[in-house]
Structure formats: C-alpha cells, structure tokens
Amino acid sequence: MDLQDSRNPQVKRPRAVIIGMMGAGKTRVGKEVAHMMRIPFADADVEIEREVGMKIPAYFDKYGEPAFRKVEADLIADFLEDFDGIFSLGGGAPMTPSTQDALADYIAAGGRVVYLDADPKEAMERANRGGGRPMLAGDANARWKKLYKQRDPVFREVANVLVHTRRQTPQVAARKVMDMISERRVHVTGTAIEPYDVVIGEGTMNHVTEVFGDTVNKVALIHTQPVQRHSDRARALLRQAGYEVSDIAVPDAEAGKTVEVANRIWERLGDEGFTRSDAIVGVGGGAATDLAGFIAATWMRGIRYANCPTSLLAMVDASTGGKTGVNTSAGKNLVGSFYTPAGVFADTKTLASLPNDIFIEGLGEVAKSGFIEDAEILRILEAHADELRAFDGATFLGSGLEDVVSELIERTVTVKVHHVSADLKEKGKREFLNYGHTLAHAIEKLEHFRWRHGNAVAVGTVYAAELAHILGYIDQDLVDYHRSLLSSLGLPTSWNGGSFEDVLALMHKDKKARGNMLRFVVLDGGPGNVIHLENPPADAVEEAFRRIRS
C-alpha cells in the first residue's frame, strides 16, 4: 500500500512503525519484516547515536533525559516524512507528546503503528541481556515493571495494530506483523455508533477474539453449512482464546433469515444460559450475518457481536453498517434493528472458496457504490472487468486480483460508512445506499429469493437509470454505461419475471415509501450526484420497467 502523501508527493512514509517495551524484540522483528518485504529498516536509537556521535547512555549522562527526548522526537518526526521502510522506535519514544501527535498524523495518512505486546518475563530477560539501557539503571526488573505499568496503556492508545508475540520466534512474530500491516482498515464512527473497524485482508479472522476481551464467557457461533471450513476456523480461534462456544448452524441464504429460525436460536440461547455478558459471531454470507446481528440486537435487548463475512457481497454490504433483520411473507428485511457490531473481519482467504457466480453477484453492490459516490470504483471495475468476470477461487490468493478485490472492498465499505456515520437509522442520506434496491427487493420476493441480491441490485440500478433518463435527470449515455459495465462483469441487466402490477405492489411496500407515495434513489446528472425522487409519474415508472425486460 502506497503511503505517499497525495497532497505532497515528496513525503515518503514508513510502511510500519514498531513500538513496544524494552526487550520486546522491536529491532529483531522489524529487521525480519523488512527482509521479508524487501524494504529498508531503520532503528531510531541507532539513528540517534549516529546523529549525536555518541552512545545513548553517554548522551543521557552528559545532557539528561529531556535533551535526549527532544533529539529523539525531532528525528522521529523527520523519519515519519522521509523514510519508506520499517521504522522501530525506542521504548520510551511514544511517551513524548509531540511524538504521539506525529504518530497520530501518520496513522491519519494511512500508516500502521504496531505495538509488539511481548511476554513481560521474556522482554525483561532480553532487556537485561542487552545492557546499555539508562532507563533500567538500578533494579532493572523493578524499573521495567514500573515503566510497563506506565507505558502499556499509552502504547495501546497510540498504536492502531496490536501484535501479541508471546512465546513466538522472531520469524513467526514478523510474519504476523507483515500480515497485519498489509491489512486494510475502515474505521466506523458517527452519531449513535459505538466505533468499530472493518478489517480487510488475508487472515483477518484471527482478530475476532480481540473484540470481546475478558468480559465475555460464552460465544454463539452462527453459520451456514457451506462455510463449515471457515466456521471451524472461527470456532478453534474462539476456543483457543478461552471462550465457551455454542455452534449454531442455520439454513443457507435467505431460507435461514426467518423469524422461525431466529426463534429456534433464541430458545437455544435461553437453554444454554446466555446473558448480557456473552456474545454472537456470524460467519457466512449476507443472510447469515444479517441474522447473527438480529439475534445479537434482540437477545437481552442487545449483546456484543462480530461478523466474519465469507462472500464478497457480505463483505461490502450486509456485514457492515448495523442493519440487521429477517424476512417475512410481506417482504425482505421488514423486521429488524439498527445495531452495530464490535468488529467486522473480511478475511480474503474465505473468498477462495467461492464459486464464480457467487463472487460475481457481489460486484453488483460494488458497482452501486461507484455510481452513488466513488467514481474510482467504476474505473477499477472497467480496468479489471475481464479478470473479475473470470474469477477462480483456486488461483485467487496471492494473485494480483486479490489486491484489486481488497481495494474494491475497502472503497465500497468506505462509501457505506460515509453514509451510515451520518444517518445510522436511514432517515435521509443513508437511503442513497439503496440505489437500485426498490426494484431489486421486489425481484427477490417475486423470485422467492432464488435470485441473488447482487444480481437483483444490478438490474435495479439499470431500472433506476432508465427512470432517471425518462424524467430528464441523466442522458442515454449514462444508461448505456450502466448496462455495458454491469454486463462486462457478468451481471444481469434485465429481468423477465413478474408483472408490472406485482412489482408495483411490492415497491409500495419498500422501506423508502411514504404512505402511498413511491420514492426512488436516482442519479442527477452523473455518478456521485444522488437524489430522492418522490412520487414520479406512473407512466414513467411503468415505461422504465418495460425497458428492463429482455
């Protein structure tokens, strides 16, 4: 990931900054990471000694700690804007306020500050062996423990990546660091939202145990049968962390997203004594993560939950944003709650198990986000349409396509977060995320959910474009672009199912409808300019429907 500052191309930033206690292995692990990634390594203490022309203990003795911290802070600030490798800091460096500010700016620019959380006993032994540490003068172990008590909370606050290295070789620890600094993170916050992260990349499911802490005892693992290999992995991780895991398999896709299935889970949670201090983990596609969130929102009026989406659609849509729910005979997602997760872990390893058609349908939601806000998504889809359409899970991991897909996930989630953070409960701006969904939900209902959501959304966006064109909001070229882009990705752009009367009746039940008035989300002028279209002429609504018939 390029960390050059787009506002100033001359600014180079480290790929990662490593912090930790004395003896945590920052230098050894940092060198290993740099070697694996084939990039430079720099140690702040070594660079300081080079700059001042003497060893750090001697500098301490001659000038004192305040003078040293000033030199240290200035050097770190310079390296944060003129070094593009792995950068390791001295043990006390993050305690300096100006360095904390510089690290915060670095993180804001996309950087990774990695806190190596080493075993205290191991770290003390290494620190004592190393010698030459003025901060450990006197009773070294007592001083180390006192410093740890002071520094650990600060390090956890300063860092945005925590790597546990206890009882691990430097090589294993370095591999963990490398995987984690390659991850993409989208931070979700806003009014009425308890902040959480969407973490994207290979192996991110490993973080699922980090969001619950010591307060959780039992975890209900809700998953579908087709993702058994992934739920097995989640179960093992949770049990290794000491949680009591209840394994709950539910029917696949929309068949599992019903009140009847939810009721069976509620009864099971009651039988097994789940309380407010316990948690839910959802593993699977969008229906499974919707259901898991709904169970978490309703059990004991709300318990913690995390999502591990295993399909592209779930990663970019259902697992984030806090919309949870089930379907009823009246329609899709009409019963539910707005309830945000403690974390979402979009592990790209799980995409390798997807059939081509299930991967492709997720691109419908990706393209939608490009149309409503991020035109770069559309450019990426155009540039890689052939590769995306030919997706093969067997060759996906480690390929160039994996990084393309990771960027598409990150960008799509960012679009969603932008709307959700301003409007969690879908009273205004968040409704723009429903571009194409008014028709899409009707198609799904009339097809008895045999049509997958992303495919229905693709047709729905074409319908919305046709309606906008008929009413003069966009030109024919943009309608044609909808069709050509979606078709190039292998997505459908037409539908020959139910009658207009059936569709119209369902569109009147859409969540955006107000009373008997239809409301659509359409583009006004071009991609990125989105408006609500209220009560359009009936003949235009019907004509747009006629145009999406194949």
Side-chain angles (χ1 to χ4, degrees), residues 37-281:
M37 299 182 73
R38 298 179 182 177
I39 56 177
F41 172 76
D43 183 308
D45 285 350
V46 172
E47 299 300 327
I48 291 168
E49 291 182 340
R50 183 178 292 124
E51 182 168 309
V52 301
M54 65 178 72
K55 293 293 184 180
I56 287 174
Y59 194 90
F60 254 75
D61 289 342
K62 187 171 183 178
Y63 299 104
E65 184 181 356
F68 170 76
R69 294 301 178 196
K70 177 67 169 61
V71 171
E72 180 183 57
D74 289 346
L75 181 137
I76 289 170
D78 290 342
F79 266 71
L80 289 177
E81 295 194 350
D82 193 27
F83 181 66
D84 56 0
I86 303 296
F87 186 34
S88 172
L89 305 191
M95 302 300 290
T96 302
S98 62
T99 296
Q100 292 173 8
D101 292 341
L103 291 174
D105 290 343
Y106 164 71
I107 288 173
R112 299 283 190 267
V113 176
V114 181
Y115 175 21
L116 289 188
D117 180 29
D119 178 82
K121 184 178 179 181
E122 294 174 2
M124 280 188 284
E125 289 176 356
R126 282 195 293 265
N128 288 333
R129 286 199 304 269
R133 300 179 187 272
M135 296 301 293
L136 295 184
D139 185 337
N141 284 353
R143 289 281 297 153
W144 193 99
K145 290 175 182 177
K146 182 178 179 180
L147 289 170
Y148 178 75
K149 189 174 181 180
Q150 295 169 351
R151 293 176 178 179
D152 177 66
V154 176
F155 289 177
R156 290 176 185 273
E157 183 69 24
V158 167
N160 61 345
V161 177
L162 176 66
V163 177
H164 300 287
T165 63
R166 302 178 184 209
R167 295 178 296 280
Q168 292 180 346
T169 66
Q171 292 77 16
V172 171
R175 173 62 63 179
K176 283 181 69 174
V177 171
M178 189 174 75
D179 288 344
M180 292 178 76
I181 64 176
S182 298
E183 293 170 354
R184 299 167 183 263
R185 286 177 179 255
V186 181
H187 188 60
V188 186
T189 188
T191 305
I193 295 176
E194 185 176 341
Y196 66 95
D197 286 338
V198 180
V199 191
I200 305 151
E202 276 196 47
T204 59
M205 188 185 289
N206 294 336
H207 300 309
V208 71
T209 61
E210 297 170 10
V211 296
F212 297 140
D214 298 332
T215 59
V216 168
N217 180 36
K218 297 185 181 74
V219 176
L221 182 64
I222 297 175
H223 64 94
T224 58
Q225 202 61 43
V227 301
Q228 188 71 48
R229 75 177 78 172
H230 307 312
S231 62
D232 286 348
R233 183 167 153 232
R235 187 187 310 107
L237 289 166
L238 291 165
R239 285 179 175 164
Q240 286 169 11
Y243 300 116
E244 182 183 329
V245 181
S246 294
D247 191 87
I248 302 176
V250 298
D252 191 24
E254 302 297 332
K257 206 170 129 181
T258 67
V259 175
E260 292 75 22
V261 172
N263 188 55
R264 290 200 295 271
I265 298 174
W266 289 324
E267 289 182 352
R268 173 126 176 229
L269 297 182
D271 291 342
E272 297 185 7
F274 271 70
T275 68
R276 278 204 179 104
S277 63
D278 297 318
I280 304 288
V281 171

Side-chain angles (χ1 to χ4, degrees), residues 188-189 193 321-322 415-424 430 433:
V188 186
T189 188
I193 295 176
V415 170
K416 185 159 191 174
V417 167
H418 178 217
H419 290 75
V420 169
S421 62
D423 179 26
L424 175 65
R430 181 172 181 161
L433 292 170

